Amino acid sequence: MNSSIQDILSRANQEETLQRPDVIQLLDISDPNELQALFKTAYKIKKQNVGKVVYFRGLIEISNLCQKDCLYCGIRKSNHDVNRFRLSVQEIVDAAVWAHKNQYGSLVLQGGEIQGDEHADYITRVLERIHQATRNELAITLSLGEQSREVLGRWRLAGAHRYLLRLETSREDLYRQFHPDDHLWQNRLDCLADLRAENYQVGTGVMIGLPGQSTSDLADDLLYIRDLDVDMIGMGPFIPHSDTPMAHHLPNFNKNKQLDLGLKMLACARLLLPNANMAATTALQALSDTGRELGLQAGGNIVMPNVTDPKHRRAYQLYDGKPSLDENSEQSRIGLQRRIESIGETVGYGLWGNSPRFDQRGV
Ligand code: 5AD
């Protein structure tokens, strides 16, 4: 093994702060032994900081209505080949009750970005009804795009605890390339600051392996996320969607390479933010059947099993090859639990699984 890789990993092991060139070198690893050494180090740091307990976040895809037109995303406004849906409050509550009965400590409500009072009221009602139906026992994460501080405050009061809003990339020029002119990178940053001010546990992340994105860009993404000092990280490989303008922007798209890059990012994120919660995302699983387990072995500690009624899953495809389209909630729970146990970890049933980074912040 290259001695400088060994040196970087042993410095990480001793909790020394890694620098930009270190992170770039780690992201550039191609030697299989070096790759395994990176994952092993990340896993050790994960064990020390967040243990070997995997937390389930029951994912409810509440709606694919979206006002945004991100060039990479399958549910972008201009994609007319999508059957648009929005779940009723009752349908969402039913999924939440199922998750609660099955000892999931936490939910993620995810949907396209819709602004306005009607939507804000609908989400408020959803939050109130879920808490009533589950005796306030669930932690709730929202992933509903950019919202005004006023709306974020209202949802926080109605019982949302956490919020996920990806930065997508820390390079503003790259952001501009993949979004229409009126989608502003700065707005996302402002929104992340509002979330912190409203006392949410805040999660962010980026897309990995975008066209024109280098490993030094990705290292900058990680350092940027570290400086934002977030509680949670959710990031995954970019996967082209055939009905979007970016369907063919990666002519050399290679599933294995994209998967490896995603895993390297996760491992480096664990070295940089040892006590944050990090998702082994579904996009990893879309690239390989064992993608999520590999993500857990590279530093992830969160998975988000889908608890949405399978009849709506096909209409909620951000990228091609979304896995588990026909699997019901019970099948995915059992399957995931088995996979998690097969790598020597356990599921943290009945626990909220707050990010230790948030709890230690002392707010
Ligand atoms: N590939 C990977 N991730 C995607 N997302 C949207 N489209 C894609 C794609 N084609 C991610 C974005 C967004 C999150 C909800 O899904 O990062 O923030």
Side-chain angles (χ1 to χ4, degrees):
M1 190 183 338
N2 181 327
S3 68
S4 70
I5 296 285
Q6 218 154 23
D7 169 60
I8 297 169
L9 295 178
S10 75
R11 281 191 282 120
N13 251 324
Q14 289 153 29
E15 294 176 31
E16 219 184 272
T17 312
L18 296 187
Q19 305 300 324
R20 184 172 187 269
D22 300 328
V23 182
I24 297 174
Q25 268 205 56
L26 294 178
L27 293 175
D28 279 333
I29 287 176
S30 57
D31 177 87
N33 293 326
E34 292 177 359
L35 204 55
Q36 288 316 310
L38 167 63
F39 297 156
K40 218 171 125 193
T41 306
Y43 195 74
K44 185 170 161 222
I45 292 178
K46 156 179 145 165
K47 251 187 339 196
Q48 286 164 351
N49 287 275
V50 296
K52 286 171 63 173
V53 181
V54 181
Y55 297 104
F56 279 178
R57 315 304 193 201
L59 174 67
I60 308 179
E61 292 160 341
I62 62 165
S63 165
N64 63 3
L65 299 168
C66 193
Q67 293 173 342
K68 287 285 183 82
D69 220 7
C70 309
L71 271 62
Y72 43 81
C73 184
I75 63 167
R76 65 197 301 267
K77 179 172 73 177
S78 300
N79 184 4
H80 299 295
D81 284 337
V82 177
N83 292 320
R84 301 286 168 173
F85 73 92
R86 184 173 91 166
L87 299 186
S88 68
V89 175
Q90 191 57 47
E91 284 175 304
I92 300 174
V93 172
D94 289 345
V97 166
W98 182 90
H100 182 244
K101 278 204 182 117
N102 282 276
Q103 296 283 307
Y104 287 26
S106 162
L107 292 177
V108 177
L109 308 184
Q110 190 179 78
E113 183 173 313
I114 298 286
Q115 268 121 19
D117 281 344
E118 198 276 330
H119 183 70
D121 291 344
Y122 156 75
I123 299 297
T124 306
R125 262 196 325 277
V126 164
L127 290 165
E128 289 168 353
R129 288 278 312 280
I130 291 176
H131 283 309
Q132 277 163 15
T134 60
R135 302 189 298 267
N136 284 307
E137 286 173 351
L138 292 175
I140 303 187
T141 304
L142 300 180
S143 176
L144 301 170
E146 294 162 36
Q147 299 291 337
S148 69
R149 174 142 182 207
E150 192 268 319
V151 166
L152 295 174
R154 246 202 285 164
W155 291 347
R156 180 79 186 85
L157 274 180
H161 308 94
R162 309 172 177 151
Y163 205 103
L164 299 172
L165 182 70
R166 289 188 181 175
L167 195 63
E168 312 300 358
T169 167
S170 64
R171 249 183 70 188
E172 190 173 6
D173 65 320
L174 206 56
Y175 188 91
R176 254 191 246 126
Q177 273 182 44
F178 302 135
H179 298 90
D181 289 347
D182 61 350
H183 293 29
L184 299 181
W185 182 77
Q186 187 59 45
N187 282 355
R188 288 184 97 70
L189 286 186
D190 293 346
C191 192
L192 285 168
D194 287 344
L195 287 164
R196 178 54 59 67
E198 292 295 336
N199 199 24
Y200 278 90
Q201 293 181 48
V202 181
T204 195
V206 293
M207 276 188 292
I208 302 162
L210 287 164
Q213 188 185 43
S214 65
T215 47
S216 51
D217 296 331
L218 289 167
D220 287 337
D221 287 345
L222 290 174
L223 297 172
Y224 198 96
I225 291 172
R226 178 176 69 183
D227 293 345
L228 280 175
D229 192 21
V230 290
D231 310 298
M232 312 179 285
I233 298 184
M235 57 186 179
F238 162 66
I239 303 171
H241 186 294
S242 50
D243 296 329
T244 64
M246 284 174 67
H248 306 293
H249 279 208
L250 271 185
N252 299 320
F253 182 75
N254 174 311
K255 275 190 178 184
N256 290 333
K257 280 210 175 117
Q258 200 76 341
L259 176 67
D260 274 354
L261 193 57
L263 295 172
K264 284 190 272 188
M265 281 289 279
L266 204 48
C268 289
R270 181 57 71 193
L271 304 188
L272 293 168
L273 290 99
N275 58 359
N277 276 344
M278 289 178 202
T281 50
T282 315
L284 291 174
Q285 200 198 344
L287 294 175
S288 154
D289 184 45
T290 58
R292 281 201 278 207
E293 291 94 289
L294 294 172
L296 295 172
Q297 289 171 307
N301 67 322
I302 303 288
V303 290
M304 295 165 46
N306 203 327
V307 298
T308 317
D309 189 320
K311 73 174 185 243
H312 292 296
R313 290 192 197 175
R314 231 164 269 283
Y316 198 92
Q317 294 197 61
L318 310 183
Y319 43 78
D320 289 341
K322 176 181 177 176
S324 317
L325 282 176
D326 296 314
E327 210 176 60
N328 71 28
S329 306
E330 180 60 8
Q331 288 163 330
S332 50
R333 186 184 73 77
I334 303 266
L336 262 173
Q337 179 177 333
R338 199 172 297 129
R339 284 156 177 248
I340 286 165
E341 288 170 354
S342 79
I343 59 166
E345 303 212 329
T346 55
V347 179
Y349 282 118
L351 299 169
W352 277 27
N354 269 357
S355 147
R357 199 169 183 88
F358 182 79
D359 287 340
Q360 287 158 20
R361 205 188 291 282
V363 273

